[in-house]
Amino acid sequence: MEWYTVAIGLFALLMLLVSIGVPIPFALAGAALPFLWSIQSFSTSVVSSELQLWGVWFNYILLAIPLFVFLGELIGRSRVGSDLYRFLHSGVNVRGAAAYGSIGACAGFGAVSGSSMVGSLTIGGVALKEMLHLKYDRRLASGILAAGGTLSVLIPPSLIMIYYGIVTDQSIGNLFIAGIIPGIILTSMFVIIVLVWSRLHRSHVPDSDNATKLPRKRIIAALTTIGLIGFIIIASIYTGLATPTEAAAVAAVITFVLTACFGGLTFSGFVEALKRTMLTMGYVGLLLSAGTLFGFVVTYYRIPDELTSLITSMGLSPYVILAVVIVAYILLGMFLEPVSMTFITLPTIFPLIHAAGFDLIWFGVVYTVIMEIAVLTPPVGLNLYVIQGLAKDDVSVGDVIVGSLPFIGALVLLVLALLVVPEIALWLPEIMS
């Protein structure tokens, strides 16, 4: 079969399976198997599939993913995340302190967890009800927390960057470094949005927040835990003392000790963190395995190489190619969650981006920001439903969508800034090297 026949067939069959409700991992495998059987006999394909899956499950780099997920779950099951929010909320005596505290807490949580959903659940579980009780506008409150969770994806460590690094064979450490300045810029933009919103709609933000201050011991415990874990992850990876997997392992152990001793982690919370990690990795593991089979078929028929050759032969400007890719990802992000998009599309897209002359570390940051947009865009914006689920009686999905729009605008502006000034992402990795 010709490569384009296989490409169209794979995509059509995948979309058909997804549209009838087949889970993404099984849809990927289901789309790949008919073409795999056209390459090999059934018995041979079973053996080759086993070898492919073995390679996925025993990949050393992939061990960082469950460790970072477990770390985030430990923080979420303890009171460290909520205490961080309450400290930032009650310790800053300014109008809109709860809103700014939510952004700060999401950014701080992002320094120890790479999951957007865990970030939204941990901080949002405390902050949303508190902000609604203080009479913050429900759209502003829900929008802040839905968008705030995305900071966990850009500020290292980032699970999406780990997935991207694995698929494209790029340095995960360099990707983490490249995300620092864009993460700081995005956090600042979120703060500016809240400031402007509070000036334009004064009734949406109370004049003062009457919050009870935390005991000093709990403040110290929360700040020490977040600061120490973040420092260990960042310093060990950036100085070359540890790989991302080793840094994640050490950080997970220290997180357990600190949250158990000082962060209020209970035995039931620990067990729940283990369960949630296993549930998450069960899905991700199936997705990785199915993605490997799908990628094997794609690579066998040389679809990425042929597609790259076809598009480059058209003589299109590199920025036209990039613009088409970005728009396609934004549209695709309305229907697929980021992890699925990464393993379905990146093996085909990144050779095209590389052939167009773009730096793959820089594109990794752009890609990560686009994935942040994906979790905020309906109809399948995960963070929208996570936040709405925290206060079903007071907040509708429409409220969360409207509240998220200014923050989506900030994400789009960050993408444009990265296109115009690539050094925003590349300057720090170059200095560190």
Side-chain angles (χ1 to χ4, degrees), residues 51 67 86 124 217 346 417:
L51 292 174
L67 290 168
R86 289 194 173 100
K217 289 183 179 180
L346 260 187

Side-chain angles (χ1 to χ4, degrees), residues 214-253:
L214 280 176
R216 182 173 297 179
K217 289 183 179 180
R218 288 178 58 175
I219 293 174
I220 294 173
L223 294 180
T224 300
T225 302
I226 296 292
L228 182 60
I229 297 167
F231 175 78
I232 289 171
I233 294 171
I234 294 171
S236 60
I237 294 175
Y238 299 164
T239 58
L241 292 176
T243 64
T245 301
E246 292 165 346
V250 173
V253 172

